[in-house]
Amino acid sequence: TTTANNIGEARIYGVENSVEFDIGKGLSTFATYDYLKGDKQTDNTPLATIPPDTLVLGLRYVDPKDRFWAVFSGRIVDKQGRVPSGTSDTAGYAVWDIKTGLPIPGIKGAKLTFGVENIFDKSYREHLSSLRAPGRNIVVGLSETIKW
């Protein structure tokens, strides 16, 4: 059987920042940063479920005539060493993705997307996961926006 215990008092705080800069002619760059810290107040030890610092950097192009778009981005994740005793640290990593999409002619609101996630096939493990990430992924999608 599994026993769940409440931890009593905890304090969690953090910050999330996002910025985007329009370079011009459909090109822009963006960045987001997430920081979170959490401790049990009873003994001032780290909470186990707090994710590591994460920075996302990217370059986006949107065709001015709305024929297609493309995004190149990277997710840079710091090592998570603030973990309670008995819990393993998680190594930092960086993965890079590229995605593109285009509207489907004749079908209003329909888009076809294609992407490669983890372009460089980096081996990494997400915080709190016991499994390695699956490696490079090819993603194909079809979406339709319906306005009510």
Side-chain angles (χ1 to χ4, degrees), residues 55-85:
L55 175 66
V56 175
L57 300 171
L59 187 63
R60 177 182 297 119
Y61 177 76
V62 178
D63 176 58
K65 295 182 180 179
D66 201 30
R67 293 175 293 196
F68 71 96
W69 58 267
V71 176
F72 177 72
S73 64
R75 185 167 58 107
I76 303 153
V77 180
D78 198 9
K79 171 185 175 180
Q80 180 54 293
R82 281 196 88 248
V83 294
S85 61

Side-chain angles (χ1 to χ4, degrees), residues 134-146:
R136 185 179 303 119
N137 298 298
I138 306 295
V139 180
V140 177
L142 178 62
S143 65
E144 183 176 5
T145 303
I146 301 172

Side-chain angles (χ1 to χ4, degrees), residues 15-19 30-35 51-58 73-79 93-97:
V15 65
E16 180 178 304
N17 292 303
S18 180
V19 65
F30 60 91
T32 62
Y33 175 71
D34 298 319
Y35 166 82
D53 297 3
T54 303
L55 175 66
V56 175
L57 300 171
S73 64
R75 185 167 58 107
I76 303 153
V77 180
D78 198 9
K79 171 185 175 180
Y93 59 90
V95 291
W96 299 91
D97 305 331

